[in-house]
Amino acid sequence: MLIQLGEYYLDTDEMSLRVNEQSVVLEPKVFAVLMYFIEHHERYISIDELHENLWKDRCVSDAAVRRIISKIRIVLNDDHKNPKYLQSLSKRGYKLICPVSKFSTLSVSEDSKKLSSTESNNTKKTKTFLLFAIIALLISLAYFIYENIDDESHVITKVIGSIISDKKVLEVSNDGRFIAFTSKLSRGNNYQIYLKDQDSQTIKVLVDDTRLPRGLAFSRDGNYLFFSDSVGDAASLKRVGLTNKEYKIDVLVTHFYFISDVFIDKNESKVIYFSAQKSRESAMLIYKFNIDAGLVEKVTSVSQKGEHDSRADISPNSGKLVVLRVYMDSKRNFIRVLDLKASSVLFQYDQNEVIYDVHWLDDDHIILLDDKKLAKINVKTGRLDEIATTGQGIISLDVVSPSMLFAIKDTYGISTIAEKKLPLSNFKNIELIHGEQAGQRRIVDYQPLGDKVWMIEKLKGVSDLAFYKKQKPKEKVVFLSTEKSLELIAPSLSGQYVLLKLHGRITVLNTLNNNLTYISKVDEMIGDAAFSEDEKSILYTKKSNGEWLVFEYSIKEEAQSILFEGYRFVRQFKDGYILGDNTGKLSRFNVNLKTMTPLQITVSKEKNTNWDVVNGKIFWSSHNLINTTFNEIDIDDVDGSSLSSTTFDFSVIRPNFYVDKINNTVVVKRLGSRTSEIITIEVQ
């Protein structure tokens, strides 16, 4: 049976909740409580009634029951302050307030659902009407089945012999004979570019010293390999000749900050395309370079900050350009197909999951790679078909033919989470907390605080917010389980509250009653969030009408107010606030004197970095994809004289961190050794 709850459909046979073609399997007790609310949706249900009818002889706490109700709110994306589905009333209990409709399980299409509902509510219709209704139902079901035949692609993967190393990007020549790939043999900043001859099975080093070679492309005739290279804050487009053993390197384009992709039009021999940034603050755009004329021309443009065209590819018939646009202030990824001659948009597709790569499969289909799937999309009809799940660890791919792909598959070693002692002069490991192996339950966030540990663990798409004491790691308590995106921002010092980002919304969990309070909305752009010094409120920033605003949300009063305008970053300290504008430039505001003092500090805006105020010092991280740098400065320093920094290999230490303000330590993640292999994906 299907039960419609507002915009959701509950499949009682599968115990799953569906919306917009997405399905979430419910825990048995969550399903049971939700069904009880549905069966008695005309009245309020008390906690005692749930105990009596669903737990019966089992002894469970009211808090355990409320946790189940909180999980129902989470899967329904419902806000208890402005509920659309489940309303609570003091001393009366809970009531389902959304419309409830029941359908036959056979009624799987929208027309079928409407028809089934019509039949159930109009049993006095004539036999003639029923006959026509049944005929219409059969036609509708037949059309639905025809349009949704399960033609899921079957794939065969095969490992291609190469070298044992950490590979990032690969490219296959037009005739399929040569494979070029970037590789790092050991810890360090330098990459090598290798060439494998599939006929002779030999592997040669083409370039033995490059930095971040994110783009590779063979020329149409196979005589050259184009690649990107970086030195400091300067990136170049280069080519290496393949027709002689000297492998001479020519520099074609310079004066760019970063180049992320290189590709060609297979029907045009004198033009190279690439995706690049002119400067650190500029947008990443698609450019083309005419080799004969030596001219660089901009192909795409953006209308607002935070938009970047990071990947692109030209269709086999040369008429269309597919572009992956990334929005840095959100998780939104946007694919556009452009008519190169008419400069018009032919097709658009967007999703919240991060897309890693996009290519043309043939003139009518594009292929995309993200965290969850390898899929093809028909640009004429918009239909998406999954080719394979990407739990295999695919990070880069190239299309050889519509039925053959080459890809890089990652294999991770053991990673560890390390505590490092502050201040920065004592920045050394004091404890290796956890080792993890790929394929097991994965720790996404890990934040110790005093003798307590908070973490988010993920397994098979389900994230758990868990808690335990360091002395008793086996006595772990799970406060929250969800298939929605979940990030741990910070626990309060007392442990009563935990600040989270749940499905993109700033959320506070009260650990005493397990209540969730949503502070922001799904579509709001959030820049920063932290507890106030007394932990009675939440400070967060939000972009509204093009301007960043700093809000203070009172946890007890459940009310918010605007503190500052024009600032994207915020932390509170004893005498005032540290504020940062949209560029990351920090200033110190003194509450007593009402003065704003600029500081010689600019924090990173990138999502995988962090910053905080710790014991009178500002601590922040930054990176350039080669090195991770941790920085520290006194909070009263206005000329930068007390600044100290320490640098690590980015491939070893990631820049995101958590601060344990009780033990005065910083928690970072140390990546284990990593190797990759080249595989073929044959689509049947």
Side-chain angles (χ1 to χ4, degrees), residues 263-268 271 273 286-288 297-300 312-323 336-346 360:
F263 57 100
I264 67 166
D265 182 342
K266 294 182 180 180
N267 299 311
E268 192 173 10
V271 175
Y273 291 82
I286 307 301
Y287 296 87
K288 69 177 181 179
E297 180 183 348
K298 186 167 63 175
V299 178
T300 63
D313 194 24
I314 295 178
S315 61
N317 64 8
S318 303
K320 299 183 287 289
L321 176 73
V322 59
V323 180
R336 294 187 304 157
V337 174
L338 309 177
D339 187 316
L340 285 173
K341 294 181 178 180
S343 298
S344 58
V345 179
L346 303 176
W360 284 99

Side-chain angles (χ1 to χ4, degrees), residues 242-267:
L242 305 178
T243 56
N244 57 66
K245 295 182 179 180
E246 295 179 359
Y247 302 132
K248 180 184 177 182
I249 298 174
D250 298 315
V251 179
L252 303 179
V253 176
T254 58
H255 307 303
F256 278 84
Y257 169 69
F258 183 64
I259 298 177
S260 72
D261 194 14
V262 180
F263 57 100
I264 67 166
D265 182 342
K266 294 182 180 180
N267 299 311

Side-chain angles (χ1 to χ4, degrees), residues 327-364:
Y327 291 79
M328 298 305 292
D329 289 328
S330 67
K331 293 184 178 180
R332 187 181 171 206
N333 283 232
F334 194 57
I335 293 176
R336 294 187 304 157
V337 174
L338 309 177
D339 187 316
L340 285 173
K341 294 181 178 180
S343 298
S344 58
V345 179
L346 303 176
F347 173 78
Q348 300 181 96
Y349 169 85
D350 69 302
Q351 66 179 40
N352 288 327
E353 291 85 7
V354 174
I355 299 174
Y356 296 134
D357 214 344
V358 59
H359 287 274
W360 284 99
L361 195 61
D362 54 46
D363 288 323
D364 296 328

